[in-house]
Amino acid sequence: NSSPAREHNWMENKFDELTEVGMRRWVITNSSELKEHVLTRCKEAKNLDKRLQELLTRIISLEKSINDLMELKTMARELRDACTSFSSRLNQVEERVSVIEDQMNKMKEEEKFREERVKRKE
């Protein structure tokens, strides 16, 4: 006489044994496939790691290029400011030269006028 609970436990134990035995058999028969699968995944992981390293190297290079460009941008601004300042000073000099030229022309006219007066008096 076996009770239903006992029978159920016996079935579970047998199922567990069969599962374990079945699993062992499956591993033995499929070990070469498993090995190949693991090796493939390892190769893929190595390739991904290599690609990641390449990308990181490119990122570092791009960051350096960006920093170089930022420095160039700063230098360009400084150069633009210097050119603006130089242009402003040049305009001031041109204005002063123009004033001096006007004064010289006026002085020449006055000198010419004096010379003509002196000639008339003679």
Side-chain angles (χ1 to χ4, degrees):
N1 284 23
S2 45
S3 70
R6 228 180 183 186
E7 211 171 286
H8 178 70
N9 284 339
W10 180 83
M11 289 294 285
E12 278 185 2
N13 289 340
K14 282 296 180 186
F15 181 74
D16 287 344
E17 285 177 28
L18 287 174
T19 303
E20 188 176 329
V21 170
M23 181 67 174
R24 284 182 187 171
R25 284 185 185 151
W26 184 85
V27 168
I28 290 168
T29 41
N30 294 306
S31 64
S32 63
E33 287 180 34
L34 284 171
K35 182 180 176 183
E36 189 63 35
H37 181 74
V38 168
L39 290 175
T40 300
R41 293 294 177 240
C42 285
K43 287 178 186 177
E44 289 174 359
K46 285 179 184 177
N47 288 338
L48 288 173
D49 185 54
K50 182 180 177 183
R51 182 72 177 136
L52 178 63
Q53 292 304 318
E54 290 170 357
L55 291 172
L56 289 173
T57 300
R58 286 181 66 191
I59 288 170
I60 290 168
S61 176
L62 289 171
E63 286 174 340
K64 184 183 179 320
S65 296
I66 288 170
N67 287 336
D68 291 346
L69 287 172
M70 294 303 286
E71 286 181 30
L72 286 173
K73 183 179 178 182
T74 300
M75 290 171 60
R77 283 183 182 157
E78 291 170 355
L79 186 57
R80 181 195 64 207
D81 293 345
C83 287
T84 301
S85 175
F86 179 74
S87 177
S88 175
R89 289 180 184 171
L90 185 59
N91 287 338
Q92 291 173 356
V93 168
E94 287 175 347
E95 288 174 15
R96 289 178 185 164
V97 166
S98 178
V99 168
I100 291 171
E101 285 176 340
D102 290 345
Q103 289 175 349
M104 286 180 61
N105 286 334
K106 187 176 180 184
M107 289 171 58
K108 284 180 183 178
E109 285 181 24
E110 289 175 357
E111 183 64 33
K112 188 176 179 181
F113 181 72
R114 279 189 210 138
E115 286 177 0
E116 287 177 4
R117 269 193 344 200
V118 169
K119 282 185 181 180
R120 285 187 203 153
K121 284 186 180 182
E122 294 179 357

